[in-house]
Amino acid sequence: MIIKNFKKHYPLKKYGQNFLINKNIIQDIIKIINPKKTQILVEIGPGLAALTKPICQFLEKLIVIEIDLSLLDLLKKRSFYSKLIVFHQNVLNFNFIDLFRKKNQLIRIFGNLPYNISTSLIIFLLKQITVIQDMNFMLQKEVAERLIAIPGNKSYGRLSIICQYYCNVKILLNVIPEYFRPIPKVHSVFINLTPHHVSPYFVYDIKILCYITKNAFQNRRKTVRNSLKKFFSERRLIQLDIDPNLRAENISIAQYCRLSNYLYKKLNNS
C-alpha cells in the first residue's frame, strides 16, 4: 500500500526530499513513536504529511518545522491543519530550549530527515539534549551505522562517541529504497535516540572531549602516540591506561572521557 500525494509536489534536491509512501512502514513507525496526548511532539520536515496526519489523531497540537514553503501551502489544504503549530524555517536555526521554556515540558522530536543535513542536525540537537525526551528519525543507513558503531568498527568515529556519550541509540527498522519517492540510492533505517537517565560516561567539559576526538580522527591512520602528541606524552598515555600504539578507532568512549578529564584538570590547574 502506498501514499500517492507525492505526485502533487516536485521533490527538491536542495532539501534532500525523499517522501515516505509505504503505509505499512508508516504504521510501524507510529507504533514505535507511540504518541500521547499530553506530550509535546515536534516533527522535522512534515513533507507530504505521511507521518503528520496519523500522529495528529493522537494529539491536540503537533509542532512542525518545514523549510519548503510549497509543502506548507499543501499542508494548509489538509483537514488536520488546525492541529498544527507551524514554523517555516531551517531547523538548524530552531531554538528547542526556548520551546521547552514556553511549554515547561520535555520535547519529543521525530521525522524523516533529509539525508544532506542529518549528521549536522543530530549534532545540533545533541547540544540541546537537556530539553529532549527522545528522538525518532529516519536516516540513511550509513549515518545510523556511524551512530551505533563501537571501537574497532570502521564506522566508529567522532559522531559515534559524542552521540553515545549523550544517548542510548537503537536501530528499530530497516527501510528499503522502494518505500520512498523519489527512490533514493541508499537504504534507510528508523532509529531511536534516548538521552541517558544515568550516563555511563562523565566529562568535566564536553568541548574538550569534542576537541580531542576531532584531533584523533583527523589523523585516524596514525597511532594516538602521534595524533594526540600535542596533548599527551607517550608516558602519560600509558599512565592513563591507554596503549600509545592504538589508533583513534580503537579507543573506547570511556578512554576518551579519561583523556578529556585529565586535560581539563591540567588546563585548570596551570
Side-chain angles (χ1 to χ4, degrees):
M1 297 176 68
I2 67 171
I3 293 173
K4 298 180 179 180
N5 287 337
F6 68 91
K7 293 181 179 180
K8 299 178 182 179
H9 175 79
Y10 185 79
L12 297 177
K13 191 174 182 179
K14 68 176 179 177
Y15 294 143
Q17 293 175 346
N18 296 90
F19 302 115
L20 193 60
I21 61 165
N22 183 278
K23 289 186 177 180
N24 293 327
I25 204 74
I26 289 167
Q27 288 305 311
D28 289 341
I29 289 171
I30 302 302
K31 289 177 183 176
I32 288 169
I33 295 174
N34 191 22
K36 303 296 183 183
K37 191 174 183 180
T38 57
Q39 295 173 334
I40 305 299
L41 271 77
V42 177
E43 181 177 13
I44 296 172
L48 296 172
L51 297 175
T52 317
K53 181 180 179 180
I55 283 191
C56 274
Q57 297 174 15
F58 297 91
L59 305 172
E60 290 183 355
K61 291 290 181 180
L62 171 64
I63 299 167
V64 299
I65 305 169
E66 176 59 68
I67 195 172
D68 187 345
L69 191 59
S70 63
L71 287 175
L72 290 182
D73 288 340
L74 288 177
L75 273 182
K76 289 176 183 177
K77 300 173 184 177
R78 307 295 294 273
S79 59
F80 54 85
Y81 185 76
S82 61
K83 285 196 168 189
L84 302 182
I85 299 172
V86 177
F87 291 89
H88 174 223
Q89 68 179 88
N90 187 333
V91 67
L92 292 171
N93 298 322
F94 191 84
N95 193 322
F96 287 91
I97 294 175
D98 275 356
L99 178 62
F100 168 76
R101 288 171 180 161
K102 291 174 184 175
K103 301 294 184 180
N104 195 30
Q105 190 174 340
L106 291 176
I107 302 162
R108 303 191 67 201
I109 306 173
F110 70 97
N112 174 20
L113 298 188
Y115 295 152
N116 57 348
I117 67 161
S118 58
T119 301
S120 300
L121 178 56
I122 288 171
I123 292 171
F124 174 75
L125 291 170
L126 290 175
K127 293 177 181 177
Q128 303 180 73
I129 199 69
T130 56
V131 303
I132 295 172
Q133 179 177 326
D134 71 346
M135 299 179 280
N136 293 281
F137 293 138
M138 186 75 73
L139 292 173
Q140 183 177 343
K141 187 176 182 180
E142 180 184 347
V143 174
E145 288 174 344
R146 289 168 60 198
L147 294 178
I148 66 168
I150 60 175
N153 186 292
K154 65 179 182 179
S155 298
Y156 182 69
R158 292 185 67 220
L159 186 62
S160 320
I161 293 164
I162 302 305
C163 189
Q164 292 174 43
Y165 174 83
Y166 284 113
C167 296
N168 182 38
V169 189
K170 292 181 181 178
I171 291 179
L172 303 174
L173 294 172
N174 288 291
V175 187
I176 61 174
E178 289 73 21
Y179 287 173
F180 298 88
R181 290 294 185 276
I183 299 174
K185 296 179 181 179
V186 297
H187 281 72
S188 302
V189 296
F190 193 71
I191 69 163
N192 170 268
L193 299 94
T194 300
H196 297 300
H197 291 297
V198 179
S199 178
Y201 310 109
F202 170 77
V203 293
Y204 292 106
D205 188 340
I206 188 66
K207 292 179 182 178
I208 294 178
L209 178 62
C210 291
Y211 189 53
I212 288 174
T213 53
K214 178 181 179 182
N215 279 267
F217 284 96
Q218 275 181 340
N219 302 283
R220 64 184 303 150
R221 292 188 177 183
K222 294 183 178 181
T223 61
V224 291
R225 173 197 285 116
N226 294 311
S227 62
L228 296 178
K229 64 182 179 181
K230 68 178 178 180
F231 307 117
F232 311 100
S233 66
E234 181 175 346
R235 179 183 177 186
R236 184 63 64 192
L237 289 171
I238 293 171
Q239 289 175 342
L240 292 169
D241 197 25
I242 294 167
D243 185 346
N245 296 309
L246 294 177
R247 291 185 170 85
E249 65 266 25
N250 301 120
I251 307 297
S252 71
I253 300 173
Q255 287 175 312
Y256 277 115
C257 290
R258 195 182 307 150
L259 291 171
S260 174
N261 290 334
Y262 170 80
L263 190 57
Y264 174 87
K265 290 178 181 179
K266 182 180 178 181
L267 293 172
N268 283 273
N269 290 331
S270 60

